[in-house]
Amino acid sequence: MGKVSKKSKVFYILYIAVLFLFFYLPIVVCMIYSFNDSKSLTNWTGFSFRWYGQLINDGSVMKAVFVSVTIAIFATLISTILGTITAIGLSKSRRFLRETVLNINNIPIMNPDIVTAIGLMLLFSSIAMPRGYFTMLLAHVAFCTPFVITSVYPKVRSLDPAIADAALDLGATPFEALTKVIIPMLKDGIYAGVLLAFTMSFDDFVISYFVTGNGVQNISIVVYNMTKRTNPTINALSTIVILVIAVALIISKLIPTILKNAMRKILIIGFFILTGLAIFAGVNGGGRTLRVYNAGEYIDSELLTKFEQAADCKVIYETFDSNESMYTKIKSGAEYDILIPSDYMIERLIKEDFLQPVNWNELKNDDGLNPAIMHQTFDPENTYSVPYFAGSVGILYDRTKVDEADVEAGWELLRNTKYKGDVYMYDSERDSFMVALKALGYSMNTTDRQEIEEAYQWLIEQRDTMKIVYAGDDVIDNMISGNKAIAVVYSGDAAYIMSENENMEYIEPKQGTNIWVDAMVITKSCDDLELAHAFMDFMLEYDNAYANSSYVGYTSPILKVEEELAATEYDGINAYMPDFEGPKNEVFRYQDPEIKALFADLWTKVKAY
């Protein structure tokens, strides 16, 4: 075999360097920006520990860390025991049984997570098991165990079957033969299963999201909710997790012999401590409890603590990423007292008899509500809903890049080839079709198939001529950084972006747009109506409404709050107050399933390129 040339060695070193750079550069960038003083995730303004302080003071994050760690430890322990015992048992089973069980074991491994998640959610709902810590633990054990079996079984098959018999002949009991002979010889496979199970559990989001409840959230769920708005504490949390893992790996490699005996004692003590904490975590002591279900990053969390102290109760607060996912969870049997959905979803919940009327006599602060926000078409008499936030969908543009004369075209600006490749469309079926329908002069609530087809063609032409980028909530940070000239955004996001980037401007196009209202509603499953009404009234109180609107950035339903913020924190930001009087502006209505399916099918075709 010939010598490797110097040129080949250099090439190999460069290859490895590029590979490691590709793997670790995102982690390094994340860690650097965790010390950024700005709210932006990418725009550096100065060194600061600001987000670490906010992270430590954020009780929801610290609870999520506890849930993630304890669930991962318990799920790993249980699945390792189950997986190891199953693998050993299969090695002694008949061929038919062994192959059948192994094939069944492969199903959850090959299944998409979403299928497993929905299946487990329906299982827990069908047996009326309250969702929370225990259901999340059971779900993690269910999807971790197959991976342990897959890791341990090949090692079991490689053992000499006579070893166990030899141990028995030498006087060992069956239990001693298992624990002192067989299991030590399987340690490599068991360790691999342990690492895989812990990693899978600690990292899981999809399954956890669907099977949890009663305010129990792991890190993945909390981080996912943070991404709905720009939240730099994500970087701080990620950096801490990375450093903890790195330190653990270094310790395990450098001083294993020193820690070997001590670690056993630490693990045993730690196990019992975590068990005790897990048992008592979230216990409310029999006090009053209010279950609130809201969109992610849609409340000033300090208000929850304030309400708990004022009402002497416990608030179990959970978040959803969309009205549709909220509806799915409600339909599956999840129970909450207060929901905060959008207008069209409220109309649907009313039609399907999920809600009970609001007793307005219980609300002392309702006299401050803005009349323009009240009595919308989805609930004309506000029988079921108390406004929470309001806003619009419009066009955000960079004044340094976009000609003001072009802006007069309204929605047609989004098809102006002068800005080809420089436009973000919101990655939303409803909002995108609203833009097209309004641009064509039609109602965004139309059921006319010809008009819907024309809107579809409008979107196809826009897509093909403008090199459109469909973006989600990441549009916020991208527009703060000035990555593109134009974007379709919600008014609250526009207000936030404009407060961070003075070059940005926002308009509600003259052709009309979606004016929306999110509201608080009470479910049929709510038993403590007094507490539910107290929470609604609390959120309408001036100081609380001001803090909430200032924190989130959307328009408060309290008129005095809206006027005060528009004159101070949001002075000059025309995105703050949506035009409820605009003659062509509309609120989304509930869609017939057949029409909704048509829109969904056409939207899939728009995105399929």
Side-chain angles (χ1 to χ4, degrees), residues 176-197:
E176 289 175 331
L178 174 66
T179 57
K180 295 184 178 181
V181 178
I182 302 299
I183 289 181
M185 298 184 73
L186 300 177
K187 63 180 182 180
D188 290 340
I190 294 174
Y191 288 160
V194 165
L195 292 174
L196 192 56

Side-chain angles (χ1 to χ4, degrees), residues 33 36-45 50-51 227-232 396-401 422 424 471-505 552 570 573:
Y33 274 92
N36 184 15
D37 187 55
S38 172
K39 288 183 178 180
S40 170
L41 293 175
T42 57
N43 185 29
W44 181 270
T45 60
R50 172 184 181 183
W51 306 115
T227 62
K228 304 308 290 180
R229 302 277 287 178
T230 303
N231 194 329
L396 184 78
Y397 65 95
D398 189 332
R399 291 193 300 264
T400 65
K401 299 177 182 178
D422 217 9
Y424 284 122
D473 295 293
D474 55 317
V475 72
I476 298 174
D477 206 59
N478 280 309
M479 291 305 288
I480 290 175
S481 302
N483 291 342
K484 291 196 184 297
I486 303 169
V488 176
V489 298
Y490 294 120
S491 57
D493 294 338
Y496 176 80
I497 294 167
M498 293 165 70
S499 67
E500 293 288 317
N501 187 335
E502 61 183 13
N503 294 328
M504 296 296 170
E505 187 62 77
V552 178
Y570 294 95
I573 297 178

Side-chain angles (χ1 to χ4, degrees), residues 23 99 132 203 267 288 304 317 334 391 396 457 508 541 597:
F23 286 151
E99 292 183 353
D203 186 55
L267 288 174
R288 301 172 76 185
L304 297 175
Y317 184 80
L396 184 78
Q457 293 299 332
E508 293 171 8
E541 188 178 333

